[in-house]
Every structure is written in C-alpha cells, then in structure tokens.
Amino acid sequence: MRNKISILGCGWLGMPLGIELVKLGFEVSGSTTDADKLLEIEENGMSPFFVSLTPSLNSNVDKAFFNADILIVNIPPKRRDDIISFHYEQIKSLVDEINKSTIKKVLFVSSTSVYPNTNGVVDENTNLEPQKNSGIALRSVEDLLLSQSFFETTIIRFGGLIGYDRLPGRFLAGKKNLKNGDSPVNLIHRDDCIGLLLTVIKEDFWGKLINGIMPEHPSRREFYTKASEMSHLPIPEFDNLREEQEYKIISSIVVGNDLSYDFKYTSPLLVL
C-alpha cells in the first residue's frame, strides 16, 4: 500500500512536487494559506487543505491533513523582525500537532543559508553557526525537528532555487559595482529539488541531513553575465576588489555516496 503524503506549502516547489507524487500513485494532501489556490491543488489530484501557522496552527484546520505517513514541510521563514522566534513557534506548533497524528516521517525543506561564509568548502559535516537571521531561524527548527522521538526527520538544505519562471538573468541585470564577482554560486534547479525529495521517499532515507546543490560552482561574474546575455538584458558590472571576496562552496558528501541520485543539471550554466 502506498504511503499517504501531506505537503505543507504548495507553492513554487510544493505544487509541482505534489503533482509528481500523484503521478507516482501516492495519496497526496496539499496545503495553502491562499484560499484561491485550493481549487488548483484539487485539480492537480491532491486533497486541498487550508493550513496556516501565525505562529499557532489555525483553529479551524481540518485535522485530516495530518492523517498521513509522511509530512513534507516546505514553508520558509517569513521576512520579519522577529523571524527567529516566529519561525520557531510556527514549527513548534506544527510539531505539537504531528505528535498527535499518524505521521512518522518528516521531510523538512531547509536552506544552505544555515552555513556562514567560510571562504572555503562546507558540507553536511560542517557545524558552524549561521550568520544571517534566516539561517539562525532554520537551524533552530532543524534542531527542534531532529530532537523529536515520535517521528524521524530528514532535512534537505537547498541552495538558491532556479528554473522555469525564476530566470537568473533578471537578478543582477544592469547593476554596477557589484561585489564578490569571483565568489562561487551555490544553486539548484527545481527539477533536481523534486528529484532529491522523491529519492529520499523512495529510498526510505530518514534521519539524515542532505545538501541539495549543483556539483559545479561557476563564479558570480561568469554566471550572471551569461544569464543576462541569454535573456538579452544589460550585463552586470562587478568590481575587481578580490580582497573583499566573501563566499562559501556548498558541497554534498551524501548525494552520490549515500543517496543514489544523479543531477539533471550539474552546473548552473546548463540551465541558461
């Protein structure tokens, strides 16, 4: 019998992920905080639910959403002054509900923002404190989820998300005096995000930490220049102050070694 899977957050990534899970024969429930999207979720073969964490779970939530074997959590921290405490309380409210449910596996979508700039390579074994508030918020909820005994959690830290309507040529087009032109980019295509998430489920790869990142890391200068050219947009201009470079190269020692997955896009340049 196929697992029941609930997706918390059917947005840019969650919706196409749900569609792929339906194609594979899973019974899928999808949530949104936008009532206008409920019909779209249903039209794509999922059971639609309105689920909101503000930071408490909405009191009128249909608890059938939590009648699942696997929960995929795909809600990034909101940009707000109290981002750290607010996001923690959101996930704490969620954990309280999971512990009363049938859910035994959680797949949490995180971000490589949990890694500080080290001017070197970081991987899943790197345990350094985040620099940005968004990274601090994510690290705190990662720890919360991993500390639970009622269910197992696998965390995937994705790099910058590109693909489809997220055209990187628009990000820096025409800008001048940009810093860190020689710093490497850490990106991943949406198709590979979905591929990695599906592989975790197929291989029962639980209780793990995974960096979801393209294996190749061209410089910001090379990548965004080509991206602007391909989109016929003004070329960004970077300064040449090498001493001010701040960067990190995200690597995965898990993908390919412990998790059997081959990237569709091994380099950001292949997306352009």
Side-chain angles (χ1 to χ4, degrees):
M1 183 176 178
R2 287 288 191 178
N3 287 326
K4 291 183 178 180
I5 299 178
S6 290
I7 303 174
L8 183 67
C10 284
W12 185 82
L13 175 59
M15 184 71 79
L17 171 62
I19 292 170
E20 290 303 312
L21 287 167
V22 169
K23 289 179 182 176
L24 291 171
F26 290 98
E27 184 178 336
V28 182
S29 296
S31 85
T32 180
T33 57
D34 182 354
D36 292 336
K37 288 191 67 176
L38 292 170
L39 180 59
E40 182 183 356
I41 293 172
E42 187 172 21
E43 288 175 341
N44 281 301
M46 295 173 268
S47 299
F49 291 86
F50 183 88
V51 183
S52 175
L53 292 161
T54 59
S56 299
L57 188 65
N58 52 303
S59 58
N60 63 341
V61 68
D62 186 342
K63 298 298 180 66
F65 177 76
F66 296 95
N67 180 22
D69 303 296
I70 298 171
L71 175 65
I72 300 171
V73 181
N74 181 36
I75 53 167
K78 293 181 178 293
R79 294 182 180 179
R80 45 188 294 154
D81 292 340
D82 60 346
I83 182 173
I84 298 171
S85 60
F86 186 85
H87 196 52
Y88 184 87
E89 290 302 320
Q90 282 183 305
I91 303 304
K92 177 69 167 56
S93 298
L94 184 63
V95 166
D96 291 343
E97 197 60 43
I98 295 171
N99 284 331
K100 295 184 287 186
S101 76
T102 59
I103 294 166
K104 297 299 181 185
K105 312 288 184 185
V106 171
L107 186 44
F108 182 72
V109 176
S110 187
S111 164
T112 54
S113 65
V114 300
Y115 297 110
N117 287 328
T118 62
N119 293 355
V121 178
V122 296
D123 59 35
E124 290 91 346
N125 291 325
T126 302
N127 187 22
L128 297 172
E129 293 301 317
Q131 292 170 313
K132 297 180 179 179
N133 283 343
S134 59
I136 296 170
L138 284 168
R139 177 65 70 81
S140 69
V141 299
E142 287 181 358
D143 291 343
L144 173 64
L145 289 166
L146 291 171
S147 71
Q148 302 301 308
S149 58
F150 187 76
F151 57 87
E152 283 188 287
T153 299
T154 282
I155 293 167
I156 300 190
R157 295 169 171 169
F158 287 131
L161 304 176
I162 59 174
Y164 298 96
D165 59 328
R166 293 198 177 183
L167 302 173
R170 299 186 311 209
F171 296 169
L172 301 179
K175 294 187 177 181
K176 302 182 184 299
N177 297 317
L178 293 167
K179 297 185 181 301
N180 300 320
D182 296 316
S183 299
V185 296
N186 297 283
L187 303 172
I188 186 168
H189 192 280
R190 187 174 76 183
D191 287 351
D192 282 313
C193 293
I194 293 172
L196 283 167
L197 292 164
L198 295 179
T199 302
V200 168
I201 294 168
K202 290 175 184 176
E203 296 192 2
D204 283 326
F205 199 70
W206 301 106
K208 309 293 185 180
L209 174 63
I210 306 163
N211 286 340
I213 202 81
M214 290 181 186
E216 297 180 21
H217 306 270
S219 70
R220 295 180 78 227
R221 189 191 315 275
E222 179 184 12
F223 176 69
Y224 287 108
T225 296
K226 185 175 180 182
S228 296
E229 288 174 345
M230 297 298 290
S231 296
H232 305 289
L233 294 169
I235 305 300
E237 295 181 9
F238 291 86
D239 64 30
N240 293 307
L241 301 176
R242 295 184 62 86
E243 67 273 11
E244 294 187 11
Q245 305 289 315
E246 291 185 3
Y247 69 92
K248 58 197 171 195
I249 299 174
I250 310 293
S251 176
S252 177
I253 58 175
V254 174
V255 180
N257 291 329
D258 303 318
L259 187 69
S260 302
Y261 183 75
D262 294 320
F263 280 88
K264 296 179 179 179
Y265 298 95
T266 56
S267 168
L269 298 174
L270 296 175
V271 180
L272 304 175

